[in-house]
Amino acid sequence: MTRNEFNAFCSGLAHTTHVVQWGNSDVWKVGGKVFAICGWNEDADAFSFKASDLAFEVLREMPGIRPAPYLASRGLKWLQHFEPPGLSNDELKNHIVASYDMVIAGLTKKKRAELGL
């Protein structure tokens, strides 16, 4: 997946916002909370996403995937696809959607209602 494909995919999810921060990273949010990031890898695009406990345990051992720099070191369950083989584009999209869904589930009822979710 390229950075442009990542941004196009994330922009297609309902009620998302995009900012560029943290050293030119594309940061995607829903309800003001981050669910996906492209950046933080000097050699190539890297894609970070929130993961379930099970996904974090299983995927972090796969070649091309690691606990996301900065986020995972703070105890958060975030993974980063940083080099091949990693995840296929479809698998990466599925994990981004799962991250988006987890973030929505963590929003207050009031915030979800404001967003129509």
Side-chain angles (χ1 to χ4, degrees):
M1 178 179 293
T2 66
R3 183 179 285 247
N4 288 339
E5 291 168 336
F6 168 82
N7 285 330
F9 179 75
C10 290
S11 72
L13 298 172
H15 307 290
T16 59
T17 57
H18 172 256
V19 296
V20 176
Q21 61 189 75
W22 303 322
N24 200 33
S25 293
D26 289 299
V27 180
W28 286 90
K29 301 178 183 184
V30 61
K33 304 291 183 181
V34 177
F35 71 91
I37 302 165
C38 179
W40 294 343
N41 195 29
E42 295 176 19
D43 300 328
D45 291 333
F47 306 100
S48 299
F49 53 89
K50 185 175 185 142
S52 68
D53 291 342
L54 180 60
F56 186 81
E57 292 303 318
V58 172
L59 294 178
R60 71 181 183 175
E61 301 297 328
M62 287 181 58
I65 300 176
R66 64 183 172 201
Y70 309 106
L71 296 167
S73 66
R74 289 172 173 74
L76 302 174
K77 304 287 176 145
W78 277 72
L79 293 168
Q80 183 181 76
H81 166 100
F82 70 100
E83 67 182 13
L87 300 167
S88 71
N89 285 350
D90 287 340
E91 291 169 325
L92 181 56
K93 288 176 182 178
N94 288 340
H95 284 286
I96 291 169
V97 169
S99 177
Y100 169 86
D101 290 341
M102 282 185 274
V103 170
I104 288 173
L107 297 174
T108 64
K109 287 182 182 181
K110 180 180 177 182
K111 189 61 161 179
R112 287 194 306 267
E114 286 174 14
L115 296 173
L117 298 169

